[in-house]
Amino acid sequence: MSLVVVNTAPSRAATPAWRVRLSHEWRGESWPPGDGTVFQRAPWLTPLYAAIAAREPQVAPLVVRLEDGDGVPALQLPLLLRPLGRRIALEFADLGMTDFNMPLLGPAAPADARAARGAWAALRRALPPHDLVRFTKMPVTLAGRPNPLALLPGVRPCAVNGNLVVMTGDWTAFHFGLERTVRKELERSWRVFEKTPGARLRTVTDSGEARHVLTTMGTLQRARMAGIGQPFTLDDPVTADFYRRLMAGLGDHAILTVLEAEDELVSALLGVRDGETFVMIRLAHAADAWRKVSPGRLLIHKTLEMLHGQGLRRFDFSVGNYAYKRRFGPTRTPLVDYCEARTLSGLVPVLRAEAGARLRRHPKTHARVRRLLGKPPSREED
């Protein structure tokens, strides 16, 4: 069911009127066909909303669409109303699965801070009751256009960032542009791997087989996380259901590559494609005997080579600054968060987020506080 709310701004020529449309269900269309990341498009959102509906009925979808006074599309926000104890949080459709959150930008999207504030005020008046707004992992710009939510006062740096590799030349130029020790290690690993009986790189194209590979990936990732004393969360019901549903788009949207040898899955890489961009979202690899060929890094390298040959030029290693990503020389792309209390109850998590952001500006103190709280050290800079 959809609700149309018309917000007419005061009669000042410089202040536009906005029309807000709210829908409490996702209908599968990307409106408008504008600028956004792969995570704002129907092939990603359709399985995500379906998994949430099937597994988390207490979480309510909310698709918000903003038009200017002439009906020209401005923004589409794929959101959720999620209970957090006694509070209701307004968040992007994420639940830990989406790497980059932002509106899909239409032709009338606000392009400066003043217009962004006016649009956000109109949206706030139309939204259903909630205690806090929590928008995280938002790109600052996209395709040369500003993200209007990143222009709001109170936006703060996110704890994570993107990691983007743009290849402007041929594959050889990229490969030989890697740090020499990294390049030589990848070459050595491939020579060793190729000598193994049954060694091969391939792309999984059957959705049934892909779901089987996902199960194996989960087993490998769970064992690895247990080995380093970290929790494994990718097997919770919503996440597992979402990844299974995502496999319906295998080949067109989702890309799953594997290294196999001796009848064993050595490593697997799952990513999503949007035009010339490939975003890596999940990587798993066997340990022990395969450690000598660095199977995760090797699969990334060979997958990039294959996709470059198919015309892709932008490769995002997603959020997190792990050592294996840094070896490929990505450029860190900034992300921002926006938190706002709408009730007194919502003030506590907003203040907590602000304190966390301030603490992260002082890494040594941040690490000391984590130890005092009994939290494991961050693995981001391993």
Side-chain angles (χ1 to χ4, degrees), residues 240-271:
D241 190 15
F242 163 70
Y243 279 114
R244 286 192 294 268
R245 293 173 187 267
L246 185 66
M247 292 305 97
L250 202 63
D252 297 326
H253 174 67
I255 298 175
L256 179 61
T257 57
V258 297
L259 288 179
E260 297 171 323
E262 297 179 344
D263 298 322
E264 181 181 351
L265 179 71
V266 178
S267 56
L269 174 64
L270 175 63

Side-chain angles (χ1 to χ4, degrees), residues 47-66:
L48 180 56
Y49 274 120
I52 291 170
R55 305 288 179 170
E56 292 279 3
Q58 75 276 18
V59 177
L62 181 66
V63 181
V64 180
R65 292 168 177 143
L66 182 73

